[in-house]
């Protein structure tokens, strides 16, 4: 595609939908392709990888930074979730982002807000079982952001495997005119998936947190070496987690990549998924396991 639209280099922060829409409609009128990267801030290399992917194929890159209250349960970390707009803005600027959209919670959820989006079935398994209402909040804010921004392409991380599955299904079911890109999980050199919540971990918890990526690799090894009994693989994943100090697993299993149902027999493509508390921090991770020819 010809790229004759000049790329904006200066970062602008918008707090209102009106300003955001004006900028995006001007870009669209000029023939630009607009990319949206939804985030909750506390940006790290995982987020930056999505922004770089957007920068590669879009003329205008918008990053939303919004800690979305409706996706947090009553006893979760909404209040203490890390927030650092000044640092996030520097990272966005260095990554060539054009626009940060940082709305106020009272504008996103005005009084008497009553409309939610629910992707049935996919929302109630795995994370949904342990975080009731979480994906209702996620689907609602993502749909709202899509409506606010009117972007052409939106970028999500594979790190939140269930989330991207739900968002892709929502886009299909509701005919949303947006393309979804899913980018690979960015990890620390020792395997820990980057997460804004990693800052909560003490040094000892940080070491224990490696059990998550280890149990996924273990699952891949077992499946790749021809293990047919997936319940045995599940048990080994759980054993690894439970034998690690400070780690309390919520689930560790192998699922079908689209239905998210627990796989009974090995499939050409499986996803190993894990969620566990490490100390008081809840972490998730996953690994796609593909049959090698
Ligand atoms: P969050 O700020 O946690 O809502 O995440 C915003 C986006 O960044 C989501 O699409 C996440 O899946 C993605 N993301 C978070 N961590 C990573 C990671 N380690 N690698 C790739 N993408 C990530």
């Amino acid at each position: 595609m010809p790229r004759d639209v000049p790329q904006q280099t200066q970062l602008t922060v918008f707090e209102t939908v009106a300003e955001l829409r004006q900028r995006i409609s001007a870009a669209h009128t000029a023939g630009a392709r607009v990319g949206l990267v939804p985030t909750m801030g506390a940006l790290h290399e995982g987020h930056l990888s999505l922004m770089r992917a957007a920068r590669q194929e879009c003329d205008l890159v918008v990053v939303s930074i919004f800690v979305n209250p409706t996706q947090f349960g009553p006893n979760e970390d909404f209040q203490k979730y890390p927030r650092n707009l000044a640092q996030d803005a520097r990272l966005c600027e260095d990554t060539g982002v054009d626009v940060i959209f940082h709305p106020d919670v009272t504008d996103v959820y005005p009084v008497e807000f009553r409309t939610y989006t629910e992707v049935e079935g996919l929302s109630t398994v795995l994370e949904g079982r342990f975080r009731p209402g979480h994906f209702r909040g996620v689907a609602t804010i993502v749909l709202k952001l899509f409506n606010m921004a009117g972007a052409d392409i939106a970028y999500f991380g594979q790190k939140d495997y269930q989330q991207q599955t739900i968002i892709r299904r929502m886009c299909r079911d509701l005919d949303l005119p947006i393309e979804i890109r899913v980018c690979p999980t960015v990890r620390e050199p020792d395997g820990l998936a980057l997460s804004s919540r990693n800052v909560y971990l003490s040094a000892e918890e940080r070491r224990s947190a490696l059990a998550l990526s280890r149990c996924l690799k273990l699952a891949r090894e077992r499946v790749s070496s021809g293990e047919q009994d997936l319940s045995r693989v599940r048990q080994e994943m759980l054993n690894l987690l439970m034998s690690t100090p400070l780690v309390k697993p919520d689930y560790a299993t192998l699922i079908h990549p689209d239905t998210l149902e627990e796989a009974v027999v090995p499939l050409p493509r499986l996803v190993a998924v894990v969620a566990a508390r490490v100390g008081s921090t809840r972490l998730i991770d996953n690994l796609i396991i593909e049959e090698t020819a």
Side-chain angles (χ1 to χ4, degrees):
M1 178 176 167
R3 312 308 294 260
D4 51 2
V5 182
Q7 292 199 347
Q8 184 76 26
T9 49
Q10 212 185 342
L11 176 71
T12 319
V13 181
F14 291 137
E15 295 192 344
T16 67
V17 178
E19 291 168 302
L20 178 71
R21 285 215 174 116
Q22 196 175 35
R23 176 62 173 279
I24 288 175
S25 72
H28 274 151
T29 305
R33 194 177 343 180
V34 177
L36 172 68
V37 182
T39 80
M40 298 205 298
L43 302 178
H44 52 63
E45 272 297 320
H47 300 112
L48 301 191
S49 72
L50 307 185
M51 297 176 197
R52 289 190 196 108
R55 186 71 283 167
Q56 284 272 314
E57 63 177 343
C58 298
D59 306 292
L60 186 80
V61 176
V62 179
V63 172
S64 61
I65 297 181
F66 180 66
V67 185
N68 174 37
T70 62
Q71 71 189 69
F72 288 80
N75 300 315
E76 294 185 356
D77 56 344
F78 174 68
Q79 293 299 341
K80 75 161 187 172
Y81 196 84
R83 291 163 172 88
N84 191 342
L85 185 63
Q87 186 180 309
D88 288 348
R90 275 194 296 278
L91 290 169
C92 286
E93 193 155 33
D94 293 347
T95 316
V97 167
D98 302 297
V99 172
I100 290 178
F101 179 50
H102 181 60
D104 196 90
V105 70
T106 53
D107 290 331
V108 176
Y109 295 109
V111 279
E112 292 292 309
F113 183 90
R114 290 187 187 281
T115 312
Y116 293 88
T117 315
E118 182 103 39
V119 180
E120 292 179 352
L122 297 178
S123 288
T124 49
V125 296
L126 304 169
E127 284 301 282
R129 256 188 70 207
F130 291 89
R131 304 185 71 187
H134 170 66
F135 288 117
R136 177 192 197 235
V138 168
T140 302
I141 189 62
V142 169
L143 179 58
K144 279 176 70 74
L145 288 169
F146 287 179
N147 285 333
M148 290 167 172
D152 302 288
I153 311 177
Y155 297 81
F156 293 89
Q158 190 207 304
K159 159 77 172 32
D160 297 275
Y161 188 86
Q162 187 173 8
Q163 172 173 278
Q164 59 81 31
T165 305
I166 287 170
I167 288 162
R168 287 189 297 116
R169 184 64 63 89
M170 174 179 79
C171 291
R172 194 205 68 173
D173 288 355
L174 299 182
D175 308 294
L176 302 183
I178 190 163
E179 286 176 47
I180 303 297
R181 301 272 190 272
V182 179
C183 302
T185 302
V186 177
R187 298 177 180 282
E188 300 280 6
D190 61 7
L192 181 70
L194 296 193
S195 161
S196 302
R197 292 190 167 98
N198 290 351
V199 298
Y200 299 148
L201 301 170
S202 68
E204 199 190 351
E205 289 166 348
R206 169 69 182 73
R207 278 192 295 279
S208 292
L210 281 180
L212 277 84
S213 56
R214 285 207 187 111
C215 94
L216 299 174
K217 280 192 220 137
L218 174 73
R220 184 170 62 189
E221 275 163 31
R222 294 289 184 268
V223 172
S224 303
S225 63
E227 176 63 77
Q228 296 296 306
D229 184 353
L230 297 188
S231 61
R232 199 140 80 194
V233 180
R234 273 182 201 109
Q235 197 52 56
E236 286 188 49
M237 293 169 80
L238 282 170
N239 289 347
L240 190 154
L241 294 165
M242 288 187 301
S243 63
T244 307
L246 308 174
V247 176
K248 289 202 168 53
D250 277 346
Y251 59 82
T253 188
L254 292 152
I255 59 167
H256 184 287
D258 303 318
T259 66
L260 308 182
E261 281 164 11
E262 271 200 340
V264 181
V265 292
L267 304 167
R269 198 172 151 89
L270 282 169
V271 189
V273 289
V274 59
R277 279 180 193 284
V278 182
S280 57
T281 303
R282 192 168 178 285
L283 300 177
I284 59 170
D285 199 356
N286 70 84
L287 193 65
I288 296 175
I289 303 176
E290 278 176 304
E291 200 175 70
T292 44

